[in-house]
Amino acid sequence: MKIIITIIIFMCGVINCNAMSNEKYYKTLYENNNYKTEEITKEGYEAVDISKISTEYIETEYKKVSLNKLGQTVELNVTWKKTPKYKSYGVIAIMSEGATFDANSLDGYQNAILSSRNQSVHYNIATKNTKILSNGIGISMNLIDDAIYYNLSLSIRYTGKGIVYGNYRHATNNVALDQSLKYSLKNGSIVFNTNSLNDIYDVISPISINIG
């Protein structure tokens, strides 16, 4: 993200008016579940290639789903705007046409706010909730009980060119982990193996980003 703040101080007299400007440049980083803003040089600011950053999103009454690309990494985020009635195993997934994912770079998080504390769950390639397919990767995230806010994320590095899709499906009833893993990734969407499972999960249109 590029943020530029220009401070202009005017010193005006009866005869003339002079202006002095002082430009400051900042960058914001997301690291260890925290945002950190620091001042950088003008050269560092100009070195950031904004063309490598892109975002697509879709929004409903209850949640916002966004797909971001920064360099060779794509990240899918799900932010709940309202607390869902059922807190079970939802599936967050990224898939591709043409690109290849580095499964070892997979990083998933569920960040939740409870009435008296915050709680975070981390997922990676070795987590039993993770499912790796030939065209993508997904994580079954069991929403933390008693939370009032959720943010879910899945990020992964890629190589090659093509289209990356992101999708999320929320369980509208209680399901077990093994049930939530019975899906495939088709045409950008999460598709469960049986009609009964498909009916349990809500449907939101996939979002996509061109890469390469």
Side-chain angles (χ1 to χ4, degrees), residues 10-27:
F10 289 93
M11 300 178 65
C12 298
V14 176
I15 299 176
N16 59 19
C17 178
N18 296 320
M20 296 187 302
S21 66
N22 179 27
E23 293 184 333
K24 292 182 180 293
Y25 300 85
Y26 297 87
K27 69 177 178 180

Side-chain angles (χ1 to χ4, degrees), residues 173-203:
N173 210 327
N174 292 320
V175 296
L177 174 60
D178 61 337
Q179 291 178 297
S180 73
L181 292 169
K182 295 178 179 179
Y183 63 85
S184 58
L185 304 176
K186 298 178 181 179
N187 301 319
S189 298
I190 300 163
V191 181
F192 288 93
N193 296 351
T194 65
N195 289 333
S196 59
L197 271 176
N198 262 319
D199 290 342
I200 289 175
Y201 282 84
D202 68 4
V203 178

Side-chain angles (χ1 to χ4, degrees), residues 110-114 117-121 144 147-151:
Q110 176 185 175
N111 296 306
I113 297 176
L114 289 79
R117 61 188 172 88
N118 297 345
Q119 186 173 339
S120 180
V121 181
I144 296 168
I148 56 176
Y149 168 86
Y150 301 93
N151 179 261

